[in-house]
Structure formats: structure tokens, C-alpha cells
Amino acid sequence: MSGLCMAIRLKQAGFQNVTIIESANEVGGTWFKNTYPNAGCDVPSFLYSYSFAPNYDWSTKYARQPEILAYFRDVVDRFSLGPQIRFRTTVHAAEFDPPSATWRVTTTDGQTLTAEILVSAVGQLNRPQVPDIPGLDSFSGDVWHSACWQHDCDLTGKTIAVVGNGASAIQFVPTVAEKAARLLVFQRTPNWIHPLNNYRYPGWARFAFRNVPWCAKLHRLWIYVASDLRILAFRSGSKLNLEYARWLRSRMRKKISPERWSELIPEYAPGCKRVLLSSDYLSALSRDNVQVITDPIQRFDARSIHTGQSSHQIDVAIFATGFKANEFLRPMEIKGLGGQRLHDVWGTRPRAMGGMVVPGFPNFFMLYGPNTNLGHNSIIFMVERQVGYIIRSLRHMLEIGASAVEVKQDVMDGYDKRVQHKLQSSIWATDCTSWYKAADGTQPNNWPGSATAFWRRMRRPRFSDFDWSIQQNPLITKKGEGGN
Ligand code: NAP
């Protein structure tokens, strides 16, 4: 999603020599890989799409994965990006070469590419995490992670264990429950569930989006404003957060029997973990063939899964246990000035100014990097702001004839201090576990404010925040001169 956005905007700005390196054999990233039943996006599609490439034909408010993937494929065609994408190519390492002010990018199949500018667009949720549970290797049934769904395994009439009850699990559990003979959901922590209330766009609405001036734009704006205001309900200890908890609690209580309230309704503040949107997950848990198990899993053997209190013979184990979200850019080896490794510079907490730039790594940008994740708005909005920032910086580079640009250390430190300070009093710092927190309790993923606050910060680069190496790079020529 971010790589396509960057490439399109670069081309529109006159930078024609753009290559996208993609490890998969298809575009779409998370929307190509996550094909579990009923996969979809809980951000409304009018907002979870590029502002410069509207789709007037979304079938529903919240589109499902096949429609979202079709959108990204269509965008590739609309902007003729196909020839610029190298599929089935995985970046192994990238190293900055100061004399030429270029990056040498090596891939796992031994290719080397040279580029003046390197942009990482690998996302935060691209490497599945499967817990290391004793005996799992010896389990003889089918096992997979939600992001690698095995569609050739027929679940009809089987006994299935689902480990985890996060954003992915709540989407596929209702469908799997309809097929399974028995479905065991292993829940470690309950989640707040907000009704999804999805609806179809009628034909007249789609006609209006396409034909009535400003109709689609206003609809998107309305969704944006409504989404961004939700951040107000995610202020730690605020009256609005308490009210939101009360409202969610009463909605959830209506869906489940009183003896299950303590098991399924959280105690922590809503927003601490991502609030999940579903209108059918809680009713699926009330089916006769579904059981929620809250004892911690202790081990597997060839046929069964065991907790401290019970053992269950199962045919299939599905891990909906999330992603290695705190390990930004791993396992790529990125080396900047003096051969310093990005992962060494970061240590246990990845950080970057604007989630994009790190001192010591000139001409290197990240999209959806550290501290740019949201729990209430569209990541595409955030990435578009970063892309705009990067292109303005590159234009400035051309204007002043700079060969390299690098954020200043004190700017990075000041920015990071402010972000971390705000995060310390955020809802995500309160009493719950989530992928928003690293093992040491720090928060490398989330942006601490509204999407609008990020837009304000990214609107215009402060060129004095950067060191610009003025040494004409022969590889960089101005727009219209046949350059890169
Ligand atoms: P997740 O939200 O990180 O949930 C992982 C689940 O696995 C949690 O319930 C967690 O329990 C459980 N778990 C992890 N390790 C475990 C272990 N060792 N034993 C037992 N349970 C364990 O992962 P996800 O559901 O894949 O979602 C990840 C993110 O992807 C979401 O937060 C969201 O940003 C994105 N996503 C978005 C959408 C969308 O509609 N936009 C849809 C799907 C995913 P604890 O809660 O106790 O840690």
C-alpha cells in the first residue's frame, strides 16, 4: 500500500526512474497475504483508499479483502505501475556509499541495485508471530497462522482450536464456527467489541459519488472527521473514555449471557488494546459448538492441545496471534554512514523523525515507520502525509543541488522526546498488554495524537531540520532533463 503510494506520487512529481521491489508475486501487501475467511478492513473504505485514486464503487462501508485487493490491482493499472515492480524479489541488505551518495541494495537472489534514494515500505504487520509452545512441532494435525490461511484444508466437521482473539480472529471465527464440529477459542485477554454496523452502498449513492461534484469528497471528509474525533474517547482517564467503556459494556452485555460477562468483557480502558469492530463475533461465541477457553495453553502433543486444567483433541490449530510488529524492517540489514547498522542504532526501541528518517542514514526514508500507527483512523492517510513530505524534501534537494539529506541528531532527539512524553500518558500506556508495547514497555508503534496533528506536523518539511550535502550528484538531474 505504501510502496504503490510512493511510486505514484514520485512519478506524478516527475521522478520517473522508480523501482518497487516486492517479495511477493502480487501487489497488495497485507491485503494479498491475509485471505482468511471474512478478512476485511475496519476502517471505512472511502478513507482506506488513496485520496488521489478514489473508488466510487465500494460495495459496502467496510470492504472485504477481495475488494480491497482488487482496488490496489486497479490502482497499479490506472497509474501504469506494472513495469516498475520487480516481483518475487526480497531485499536482504542495503548500504549507503558516501562518495557516490547512493544506496547499494542487495537482494536474496544476488541482484544489486543502486539508488540515490531508498524508501522502505515494508509495513508493521508483515511478519506473522507464532508463539513457541512446547510440543507444537509434534502436533500431527493442520497448523497455520491467520496470515497464511490454508484454503485447501476443509474445516467442515472438524474440531478446531483458534489461539488468539484479536482483530484477525474476530473476523474469521464466526465463519469457521459455522463449518466446524467444535471450535475452541483460546482467549488470553478479552477485547472491547464495538458493533461494526456495516452497510451496502445503494446504486443511487454510487451514482452520486461518481456524478455529483464533491459528493464523494464530502463523504470521505465526513468519515475522516468522525474517525479522527474518536481519538477524544481514547484519552487516558478522561470522562469520554469512561463513558465509552460504559456504552460498550452495555452493548456487549446485551449480546452475551450474564454468567459470561466477566469472561468476555474487559476491565481495562477501551483503546488500550485496539477496540475491535464486529457485529457477529459475540453471537458466534454463544453457539453450542463454540467454547471459549481462558486457561493458558501449556503444551501440544500429536493430537491434542493442553491447558493446566483440560485437554482437547483437535484436528486443526489456527494461530491468530498477531505479528512481530515491534521489529521494524527486520530481517533487512540497513547500513548507514560509517557502516553503522540501523538495528544497532535503534537497540530495543526503533525511532525515526516523522516515522521516516534517522540520523546517520542519508537519503533513506521509511513509510509507516516507528510511531505512525493509529487505532482510530486510516494508515493510508498517514502514509500520504509522509509521501508528500518526502517529495517536498526531494524537490528541495534538487533545487539546491544536494547529493544527500540527513536529519539532524538534535532534531531527531527532540521529536522523539516529545512523542515518547505524550505516549507515556496515553491510553496505550495503561494497564493492558498489546502489540503497541515492546517487551521493555516502551511504545515504538503508535502515533500519540490525531491524524490531523500528524498532518499539521508533516505539512511542510522544516528544511533546517536536515543537513544537506551540497555536492552535485551527477545521477540526480532535474525534472524534465531525463533524470531519476
Ligand atoms: P493481535 O491483535 O496482536 O492479536 C493477537 C491475539 O493473539 C491476542 O488475542 C493475543 O492475546 C493472542 N496471543 C498472542 N500470543 C499468545 C499466546 N502465546 N498464547 C495465547 N494467546 C496469544 O493480532 P491480529 O488479530 O492478527 O491483529 C493484529 C493487527 O492487525 C490489529 O491490531 C490491526 O492493527 C491489524 N488488523 C486490522 C484489521 C482491520 O480490520 N483493519 C484486521 C485484522 C488485523 P493477548 O490479547 O492476551 O495478547
Side-chain angles (χ1 to χ4, degrees):
M1 174 276 283
S2 350
L4 298 181
C5 181
M6 187 79 239
I8 293 166
R9 289 312 220 183
L10 279 170
K11 282 176 73 172
Q12 289 175 337
F15 297 87
Q16 296 302 328
N17 194 354
V18 179
T19 301
I20 299 178
I21 306 173
E22 168 60 59
S23 60
N25 54 6
E26 254 280 20
V27 295
T30 201
W31 301 107
F32 172 61
K33 290 182 182 155
N34 285 265
T35 59
Y36 57 78
N38 198 35
C41 187
D42 61 12
V43 177
S45 300
F46 261 85
L47 191 56
Y48 195 83
S49 46
Y50 305 119
S51 61
F52 54 84
N55 174 17
Y56 305 119
D57 293 321
W58 292 114
S59 61
T60 52
K61 180 178 180 187
Y62 301 98
R64 304 288 89 193
Q65 174 266 341
E67 203 175 343
I68 300 170
L69 180 58
Y71 168 77
F72 286 116
R73 285 176 175 154
D74 176 59
V75 165
V76 170
D77 290 344
R78 266 200 252 178
F79 293 91
S80 307
L81 281 184
Q84 282 163 292
I85 309 177
R86 286 196 197 183
F87 289 109
R88 293 173 288 277
T89 307
T90 301
V91 170
H92 158 68
E95 182 159 8
F96 187 68
D97 175 53
S100 63
T102 56
W103 282 90
R104 295 221 177 105
V105 180
T106 50
T107 64
T108 48
D109 58 0
Q111 299 176 53
T112 305
L113 293 87
T114 304
E116 290 85 54
I117 306 295
L118 178 64
V119 182
S120 162
V122 297
Q124 297 189 12
L125 303 167
N126 60 337
R127 295 201 302 131
Q129 174 161 273
V130 176
D132 190 13
I133 300 176
L136 182 56
D137 287 348
S138 66
F139 179 61
S140 60
D142 290 291
V143 185
W144 64 79
H145 185 275
S146 56
C148 317
W149 200 268
Q150 287 183 20
H151 290 278
D152 50 0
C153 177
D154 183 6
L155 296 176
T156 312
K158 299 218 164 122
T159 299
I160 299 161
V162 171
V163 183
N165 57 316
S168 302
I170 62 138
Q171 292 187 336
F172 69 74
V173 157
T175 312
V176 170
E178 283 172 14
K179 290 189 169 176
R182 275 185 78 212
L183 175 60
L184 312 171
V185 178
F186 289 84
Q187 171 191 290
R188 208 164 53 173
T189 320
N191 278 303
W192 287 107
I193 315 273
H194 185 116
L196 179 71
N197 293 335
N198 202 1
Y199 56 78
R200 292 195 76 76
Y201 284 115
W204 61 261
R206 289 195 239 170
F207 177 86
F209 293 144
R210 187 175 291 283
N211 296 296
V212 179
W214 285 92
C215 183
K217 281 196 172 123
L218 285 174
H219 184 57
R220 179 181 159 102
L221 181 66
W222 157 247
I223 294 172
Y224 172 81
V225 172
S227 302
D228 221 29
L229 285 174
R230 287 174 60 209
I231 193 83
L232 299 175
F234 293 148
R235 292 248 166 89
S236 172
S238 69
K239 196 157 181 273
L240 216 50
N241 187 257
L242 295 174
E243 278 304 313
Y244 187 39
R246 216 160 58 90
W247 183 82
L248 285 175
R249 195 176 297 114
S250 74
R251 300 298 297 232
M252 289 179 72
R253 282 181 173 178
K254 284 187 188 137
K255 288 263 184 179
I256 43 182
S257 54
E259 66 274 13
R260 304 189 75 188
W261 288 354
S262 62
E263 177 185 63
L264 296 177
I265 302 179
E267 301 268 309
Y268 57 82
C272 182
K273 289 160 110 64
R274 190 181 173 93
V275 173
L276 307 182
L277 269 65
S278 173
S279 293
D280 54 3
Y281 177 68
L282 289 174
S283 24
L285 297 187
S286 303
R287 292 173 63 107
D288 290 341
N289 66 334
V290 177
Q291 188 181 351
V292 176
I293 298 172
T294 54
D295 307 326
I297 300 166
Q298 289 198 337
R299 65 186 175 90
F300 277 79
D301 64 26
R303 307 287 306 277
S304 305
I305 182 167
H306 304 270
T307 71
Q309 295 177 14
S310 57
S311 296
H312 309 267
Q313 196 169 320
I314 55 169
D315 302 306
V316 180
I318 304 173
F319 285 88
T321 40
F323 299 85
K324 296 174 182 169
N326 307 142
E327 299 180 5
F328 288 79
L329 274 61
R330 282 186 193 273
M332 290 187 296
E333 189 81 85
I334 311 285
K335 285 189 185 165
L337 292 175
Q340 58 184 331
R341 297 167 68 243
L342 184 60
H343 296 301
D344 290 343
V345 170
W346 275 345
T348 54
R349 185 168 66 78
R351 65 199 82 180
M353 208 277 280
M356 289 181 290
V357 285
V358 180
F361 294 80
N363 297 3
F364 175 62
F365 300 89
M366 282 167 277
L367 299 171
Y368 190 28
N371 294 114
T372 55
N373 184 59
L374 301 172
H376 72 289
N377 207 324
S378 171
I379 296 305
I380 295 190
F381 177 88
M382 301 291 274
V383 166
E384 280 197 44
R385 306 290 73 75
Q386 294 182 311
V387 164
Y389 188 101
I390 294 169
I391 287 178
R392 275 179 222 114
S393 305
L394 298 186
R395 281 208 176 112
H396 186 69
M397 228 174 145
L398 292 175
E399 278 159 20
I400 64 171
S403 59
V405 55
E406 181 192 350
V407 67
K408 292 176 179 165
Q409 186 70 53
D410 61 327
V411 172
M412 166 77 235
D413 292 344
Y415 174 91
D416 185 52
K417 207 170 155 191
R418 286 191 295 279
V419 167
Q420 293 306 317
H421 178 72
K422 279 194 90 173
L423 284 168
Q424 274 164 23
S425 56
S426 72
I427 196 83
W428 310 296
T430 58
D431 193 17
C432 76
T433 55
S434 81
W435 64 265
Y436 300 154
K437 289 179 192 150
D440 62 0
T442 55
Q443 298 183 51
N445 295 83
N446 279 5
W447 167 248
S450 64
T452 307
F454 191 74
W455 166 74
R456 285 212 323 267
R457 183 67 183 77
M458 292 298 122
R459 205 166 23 154
R460 220 167 287 123
R462 260 200 316 257
F463 296 131
S464 57
D465 286 352
F466 295 87
D467 286 324
W468 306 84
S469 303
I470 312 288
Q471 165 205 356
Q472 186 62 53
N473 182 340
L475 292 172
I476 299 181
T477 49
K478 284 199 176 179
K479 181 181 172 184
E481 292 174 9
N484 297 310

PDB file of all heavy atoms in Angstrom, residues 4-5 17 31 33 39 53 73 119 122 174 188 221 268 290 383 444 473:
ATOM      1  N   LEU A   4       3.203   1.521  -3.322  1.00  0.00           N
ATOM      2  CA  LEU A   4       2.470   1.992  -4.508  1.00  0.00           C
ATOM      3  C   LEU A   4       2.239   3.489  -4.405  1.00  0.00           C
ATOM      4  O   LEU A   4       2.403   4.239  -5.379  1.00  0.00           O
ATOM      5  CB  LEU A   4       1.121   1.270  -4.633  1.00  0.00           C
ATOM      6  CG  LEU A   4       1.147  -0.250  -4.817  1.00  0.00           C
ATOM      7  CD1 LEU A   4      -0.270  -0.794  -4.954  1.00  0.00           C
ATOM      8  CD2 LEU A   4       1.977  -0.645  -6.022  1.00  0.00           C
ATOM      9  N   CYS A   5       1.852   3.944  -3.219  1.00  0.00           N
ATOM     10  CA  CYS A   5       1.582   5.366  -2.997  1.00  0.00           C
ATOM     11  C   CYS A   5       2.829   6.197  -3.312  1.00  0.00           C
ATOM     12  O   CYS A   5       2.769   7.204  -4.036  1.00  0.00           O
ATOM     13  CB  CYS A   5       1.145   5.561  -1.545  1.00  0.00           C
ATOM     14  SG  CYS A   5       0.740   7.255  -1.135  1.00  0.00           S
ATOM     15  N   ASN A  17      12.330   7.462 -12.688  1.00  0.00           N
ATOM     16  CA  ASN A  17      13.114   6.236 -12.527  1.00  0.00           C
ATOM     17  C   ASN A  17      12.879   5.638 -11.141  1.00  0.00           C
ATOM     18  O   ASN A  17      13.680   5.791 -10.227  1.00  0.00           O
ATOM     19  CB  ASN A  17      14.596   6.554 -12.755  1.00  0.00           C
ATOM     20  CG  ASN A  17      15.419   5.293 -12.934  1.00  0.00           C
ATOM     21  OD1 ASN A  17      14.911   4.189 -12.781  1.00  0.00           O
ATOM     22  ND2 ASN A  17      16.690   5.476 -13.239  1.00  0.00           N
ATOM     23  N   TRP A  31      -3.010  -7.133   2.160  1.00  0.00           N
ATOM     24  CA  TRP A  31      -4.303  -7.499   1.542  1.00  0.00           C
ATOM     25  C   TRP A  31      -4.133  -8.591   0.500  1.00  0.00           C
ATOM     26  O   TRP A  31      -5.116  -9.139   0.000  1.00  0.00           O
ATOM     27  CB  TRP A  31      -4.988  -6.258   0.949  1.00  0.00           C
ATOM     28  CG  TRP A  31      -5.200  -5.268   2.049  1.00  0.00           C
ATOM     29  CD1 TRP A  31      -4.525  -4.109   2.260  1.00  0.00           C
ATOM     30  CD2 TRP A  31      -6.106  -5.409   3.150  1.00  0.00           C
ATOM     31  NE1 TRP A  31      -4.952  -3.523   3.413  1.00  0.00           N
ATOM     32  CE2 TRP A  31      -5.919  -4.288   3.977  1.00  0.00           C
ATOM     33  CE3 TRP A  31      -7.040  -6.371   3.515  1.00  0.00           C
ATOM     34  CZ2 TRP A  31      -6.651  -4.114   5.157  1.00  0.00           C
ATOM     35  CZ3 TRP A  31      -7.763  -6.187   4.683  1.00  0.00           C
ATOM     36  CH2 TRP A  31      -7.552  -5.068   5.489  1.00  0.00           C
ATOM     37  N   LYS A  33      -1.776 -11.070   1.353  1.00  0.00           N
ATOM     38  CA  LYS A  33      -1.401 -12.223   2.180  1.00  0.00           C
ATOM     39  C   LYS A  33      -2.541 -12.691   3.090  1.00  0.00           C
ATOM     40  O   LYS A  33      -2.707 -13.875   3.325  1.00  0.00           O
ATOM     41  CB  LYS A  33      -0.174 -11.878   3.021  1.00  0.00           C
ATOM     42  CG  LYS A  33       1.062 -11.753   2.144  1.00  0.00           C
ATOM     43  CD  LYS A  33       2.303 -11.456   2.929  1.00  0.00           C
ATOM     44  CE  LYS A  33       3.491 -11.304   1.986  1.00  0.00           C
ATOM     45  NZ  LYS A  33       4.543 -10.483   2.543  1.00  0.00           N
ATOM     46  N   ALA A  39     -11.966 -11.787   5.882  1.00  0.00           N
ATOM     47  CA  ALA A  39     -10.947 -10.750   6.137  1.00  0.00           C
ATOM     48  C   ALA A  39     -11.445  -9.434   5.555  1.00  0.00           C
ATOM     49  O   ALA A  39     -12.046  -9.400   4.478  1.00  0.00           O
ATOM     50  CB  ALA A  39      -9.627 -11.138   5.484  1.00  0.00           C
ATOM     51  N   ALA A  53      -6.819   8.555  -5.769  1.00  0.00           N
ATOM     52  CA  ALA A  53      -7.323   7.465  -6.613  1.00  0.00           C
ATOM     53  C   ALA A  53      -8.631   6.946  -6.025  1.00  0.00           C
ATOM     54  O   ALA A  53      -8.709   5.825  -5.515  1.00  0.00           O
ATOM     55  CB  ALA A  53      -6.292   6.339  -6.707  1.00  0.00           C
ATOM     56  N   ARG A  73      -4.948  -3.579  -7.184  1.00  0.00           N
ATOM     57  CA  ARG A  73      -4.591  -4.035  -8.539  1.00  0.00           C
ATOM     58  C   ARG A  73      -5.043  -3.002  -9.566  1.00  0.00           C
ATOM     59  O   ARG A  73      -4.321  -2.694 -10.516  1.00  0.00           O
ATOM     60  CB  ARG A  73      -5.280  -5.364  -8.842  1.00  0.00           C
ATOM     61  CG  ARG A  73      -4.640  -6.524  -8.125  1.00  0.00           C
ATOM     62  CD  ARG A  73      -5.440  -7.790  -8.403  1.00  0.00           C
ATOM     63  NE  ARG A  73      -4.810  -8.956  -7.832  1.00  0.00           N
ATOM     64  CZ  ARG A  73      -5.478 -10.048  -7.476  1.00  0.00           C
ATOM     65  NH1 ARG A  73      -6.794 -10.109  -7.611  1.00  0.00           N
ATOM     66  NH2 ARG A  73      -4.833 -11.073  -6.979  1.00  0.00           N
ATOM     67  N   VAL A 119      13.587   4.036  -0.109  1.00  0.00           N
ATOM     68  CA  VAL A 119      12.401   4.178   0.741  1.00  0.00           C
ATOM     69  C   VAL A 119      11.952   2.782   1.167  1.00  0.00           C
ATOM     70  O   VAL A 119      11.734   1.920   0.316  1.00  0.00           O
ATOM     71  CB  VAL A 119      11.242   4.885  -0.014  1.00  0.00           C
ATOM     72  CG1 VAL A 119      10.040   5.063   0.911  1.00  0.00           C
ATOM     73  CG2 VAL A 119      11.691   6.227  -0.566  1.00  0.00           C
ATOM     74  N   VAL A 122       7.773  -1.472   4.033  1.00  0.00           N
ATOM     75  CA  VAL A 122       7.507  -2.876   4.369  1.00  0.00           C
ATOM     76  C   VAL A 122       6.413  -3.060   5.430  1.00  0.00           C
ATOM     77  O   VAL A 122       6.057  -4.193   5.739  1.00  0.00           O
ATOM     78  CB  VAL A 122       8.792  -3.605   4.854  1.00  0.00           C
ATOM     79  CG1 VAL A 122       9.826  -3.652   3.742  1.00  0.00           C
ATOM     80  CG2 VAL A 122       9.364  -2.949   6.102  1.00  0.00           C
ATOM     81  N   PRO A 174     -16.588 -16.299  13.326  1.00  0.00           N
ATOM     82  CA  PRO A 174     -17.988 -16.607  13.018  1.00  0.00           C
ATOM     83  C   PRO A 174     -18.149 -17.536  11.809  1.00  0.00           C
ATOM     84  O   PRO A 174     -18.978 -18.449  11.824  1.00  0.00           O
ATOM     85  CB  PRO A 174     -18.609 -15.229  12.744  1.00  0.00           C
ATOM     86  CG  PRO A 174     -17.749 -14.281  13.513  1.00  0.00           C
ATOM     87  CD  PRO A 174     -16.369 -14.842  13.415  1.00  0.00           C
ATOM     88  N   ARG A 188      -6.650 -15.200  25.792  1.00  0.00           N
ATOM     89  CA  ARG A 188      -5.790 -14.817  26.922  1.00  0.00           C
ATOM     90  C   ARG A 188      -6.370 -13.594  27.615  1.00  0.00           C
ATOM     91  O   ARG A 188      -6.428 -13.518  28.839  1.00  0.00           O
ATOM     92  CB  ARG A 188      -4.381 -14.542  26.390  1.00  0.00           C
ATOM     93  CG  ARG A 188      -3.301 -14.780  27.379  1.00  0.00           C
ATOM     94  CD  ARG A 188      -1.945 -14.874  26.755  1.00  0.00           C
ATOM     95  NE  ARG A 188      -1.588 -13.744  25.904  1.00  0.00           N
ATOM     96  CZ  ARG A 188      -0.391 -13.587  25.370  1.00  0.00           C
ATOM     97  NH1 ARG A 188       0.555 -14.480  25.616  1.00  0.00           N
ATOM     98  NH2 ARG A 188      -0.123 -12.562  24.608  1.00  0.00           N
ATOM     99  N   LEU A 221     -14.580  13.106   3.612  1.00  0.00           N
ATOM    100  CA  LEU A 221     -14.240  14.070   4.660  1.00  0.00           C
ATOM    101  C   LEU A 221     -15.035  13.799   5.938  1.00  0.00           C
ATOM    102  O   LEU A 221     -14.505  13.831   7.046  1.00  0.00           O
ATOM    103  CB  LEU A 221     -14.501  15.497   4.161  1.00  0.00           C
ATOM    104  CG  LEU A 221     -14.173  16.597   5.154  1.00  0.00           C
ATOM    105  CD1 LEU A 221     -12.672  16.655   5.435  1.00  0.00           C
ATOM    106  CD2 LEU A 221     -14.647  17.964   4.646  1.00  0.00           C
ATOM    107  N   TYR A 268      -9.903  -3.333  31.447  1.00  0.00           N
ATOM    108  CA  TYR A 268      -9.018  -2.214  31.106  1.00  0.00           C
ATOM    109  C   TYR A 268      -9.764  -1.177  30.263  1.00  0.00           C
ATOM    110  O   TYR A 268     -10.868  -1.435  29.743  1.00  0.00           O
ATOM    111  CB  TYR A 268      -7.766  -2.736  30.373  1.00  0.00           C
ATOM    112  CG  TYR A 268      -8.077  -3.527  29.119  1.00  0.00           C
ATOM    113  CD1 TYR A 268      -8.334  -2.886  27.919  1.00  0.00           C
ATOM    114  CD2 TYR A 268      -8.145  -4.914  29.149  1.00  0.00           C
ATOM    115  CE1 TYR A 268      -8.632  -3.607  26.768  1.00  0.00           C
ATOM    116  CE2 TYR A 268      -8.451  -5.642  28.013  1.00  0.00           C
ATOM    117  CZ  TYR A 268      -8.694  -4.980  26.824  1.00  0.00           C
ATOM    118  OH  TYR A 268      -9.008  -5.688  25.693  1.00  0.00           O
ATOM    119  N   VAL A 290     -19.275 -23.811  20.092  1.00  0.00           N
ATOM    120  CA  VAL A 290     -18.121 -22.932  20.349  1.00  0.00           C
ATOM    121  C   VAL A 290     -17.857 -22.847  21.851  1.00  0.00           C
ATOM    122  O   VAL A 290     -18.784 -22.685  22.646  1.00  0.00           O
ATOM    123  CB  VAL A 290     -18.359 -21.523  19.767  1.00  0.00           C
ATOM    124  CG1 VAL A 290     -17.189 -20.596  20.088  1.00  0.00           C
ATOM    125  CG2 VAL A 290     -18.565 -21.594  18.259  1.00  0.00           C
ATOM    126  N   VAL A 383       0.321   7.633   5.574  1.00  0.00           N
ATOM    127  CA  VAL A 383       1.359   7.373   4.566  1.00  0.00           C
ATOM    128  C   VAL A 383       1.337   8.467   3.491  1.00  0.00           C
ATOM    129  O   VAL A 383       2.397   8.926   3.047  1.00  0.00           O
ATOM    130  CB  VAL A 383       1.161   5.956   3.965  1.00  0.00           C
ATOM    131  CG1 VAL A 383       1.977   5.784   2.692  1.00  0.00           C
ATOM    132  CG2 VAL A 383       1.562   4.901   4.991  1.00  0.00           C
ATOM    133  N   PRO A 444       6.983   1.672  20.509  1.00  0.00           N
ATOM    134  CA  PRO A 444       7.585   2.075  19.231  1.00  0.00           C
ATOM    135  C   PRO A 444       6.601   2.192  18.073  1.00  0.00           C
ATOM    136  O   PRO A 444       6.988   2.625  16.998  1.00  0.00           O
ATOM    137  CB  PRO A 444       8.584   0.939  18.944  1.00  0.00           C
ATOM    138  CG  PRO A 444       8.015  -0.248  19.634  1.00  0.00           C
ATOM    139  CD  PRO A 444       7.178   0.233  20.776  1.00  0.00           C
ATOM    140  N   ASN A 473      25.386  15.759  -7.353  1.00  0.00           N
ATOM    141  CA  ASN A 473      25.379  14.349  -7.684  1.00  0.00           C
ATOM    142  C   ASN A 473      25.017  14.206  -9.155  1.00  0.00           C
ATOM    143  O   ASN A 473      23.933  14.582  -9.565  1.00  0.00           O
ATOM    144  CB  ASN A 473      24.331  13.649  -6.807  1.00  0.00           C
ATOM    145  CG  ASN A 473      24.307  12.157  -7.059  1.00  0.00           C
ATOM    146  OD1 ASN A 473      24.759  11.687  -8.086  1.00  0.00           O
ATOM    147  ND2 ASN A 473      23.775  11.438  -6.089  1.00  0.00           N
TER     148      ASN A 473
END
